[in-house]
Structures are given as C-alpha cells and as structure tokens.
Amino acid sequence: MPTTMPQPYALRLEMIRAAGYSNQEAISLIENKDTATLVQNVNPEVNWGEFLDYAHQNRVDIRAAIAQGYRFKFITAGGLQSFLRISFGLQAGEDYRFDGERFTEIGLSEPDFELLRHRVPEQHWTFVITKRDEGSGEVRFEIELASAAY
C-alpha cells in the first residue's frame, strides 16, 4: 500500500522536487527544518512551517513518500491543476483545457503519465486515454471527476 499524503503537503513536496533537490537533499532539508533554504530556493510565498511540522510528526511517512512515492489522500481540481503545473510544467489554457469537471487535451510522456496516474486517487478522478503515440512515447488523455465518468 503506497503512502498517502494530504494535498497541501504533497504539493509542497512536489515543489521541493521541482526545485531540483535529490531525495536525500529533500530529506535533509525537511528533517533539519531548513525554512530559510525552502523560502529562498523553492518558493518564498509558501508558509513552510506547517509542512515542516507535519513532516516532523510523520517522519516515517515522509521518508517513504520521498523514497518510494506516494498517493494523494484526496486532490481537488485546483490541487490537480497545481500538481500539473508544479510537476510537469503544464499550464491551464496553454497545455490543456479545464471546464470545471474535465481536463482535456493533456499530453505527457508515458513515464510522466504513469506517475500522474499513480499519484492521483482513482476513486476521485478517472483517466481516459485518447491517443497513445508509440513513436514519440506521448500519451494524450483526459481526466474527469469520477462521478462525471460514464
């Protein structure tokens, strides 16, 4: 069973990864509660204190999430938009469309697509592959609220 993480903390972990920190560097930053480095090198607009407190109280889960991956406990549409932006550099309106219930016209490499599917809970969101290009390795797909899926 993969480690699950609340959306706000998982997104902060993704910010650390996106800033280029290795697993060991991320663990070190978190365990040393290095707020100054996180503010300076990751995101100055984030309140890192709450995340670091959570990480300290859930040290084993954070280490497992960093080393072996995790799944969001729950992720909102806004959280999914943030995840797509932070982890894959995708922007709404430019790289995909979102109508309030469905994300369309998304394209990722096969490994990135599988990572996304692993992180996002299937009971909340449904993935529909619209095209798989074996030559380029790109997967085109949609994501819709599970309750909206047919």
Side-chain angles (χ1 to χ4, degrees):
M1 184 85 169
T3 300
T4 59
M5 290 185 61
Q7 175 181 304
Y9 307 130
L11 291 174
R12 281 166 177 74
L13 182 57
E14 290 300 324
M15 288 178 193
I16 294 169
R17 289 180 186 270
Y21 288 97
S22 70
N23 287 352
Q24 191 54 49
E25 290 169 333
I27 289 169
S28 178
L29 280 172
I30 292 166
E31 290 186 353
N32 292 325
K33 292 189 170 190
D34 192 346
T35 305
T37 299
L38 293 170
V39 167
Q40 182 176 347
N41 297 337
V42 179
N43 189 326
E45 297 177 14
V46 169
N47 178 348
W48 290 99
E50 190 175 316
F51 169 73
L52 294 173
D53 289 344
Y54 171 85
H56 180 73
Q57 294 168 5
N58 298 276
R59 185 174 289 131
V60 171
D61 287 343
I62 288 291
R63 282 181 158 267
I66 291 170
Q68 294 141 10
Y70 68 90
R71 181 175 286 256
F72 285 93
K73 283 185 181 179
F74 177 83
I75 188 166
T76 64
L80 191 48
Q81 286 181 309
S82 293
F83 184 56
L84 290 170
R85 180 179 36 75
I86 294 165
S87 299
F88 307 107
L90 301 180
Q91 296 290 331
E94 295 175 25
D95 302 305
Y96 64 88
R97 306 283 173 253
F98 178 64
D99 67 8
E101 289 186 355
R102 180 179 301 178
F103 295 81
T104 59
E105 302 175 32
I106 308 171
L108 288 174
S109 68
E110 183 80 35
D112 285 348
F113 173 71
E114 290 304 324
L115 176 65
L116 176 65
R117 284 183 58 162
H118 174 76
R119 296 267 196 269
V120 175
E122 295 167 354
Q123 68 268 30
H124 303 125
W125 297 95
T126 301
F127 290 79
V128 178
I129 296 173
T130 57
K131 182 179 179 185
R132 184 175 256 130
D133 186 334
E134 301 298 330
S136 69
E138 183 181 65
V139 178
R140 304 287 303 171
F141 60 98
E142 299 178 353
I143 308 169
E144 57 188 23
L145 281 168
S147 62
Y150 302 99

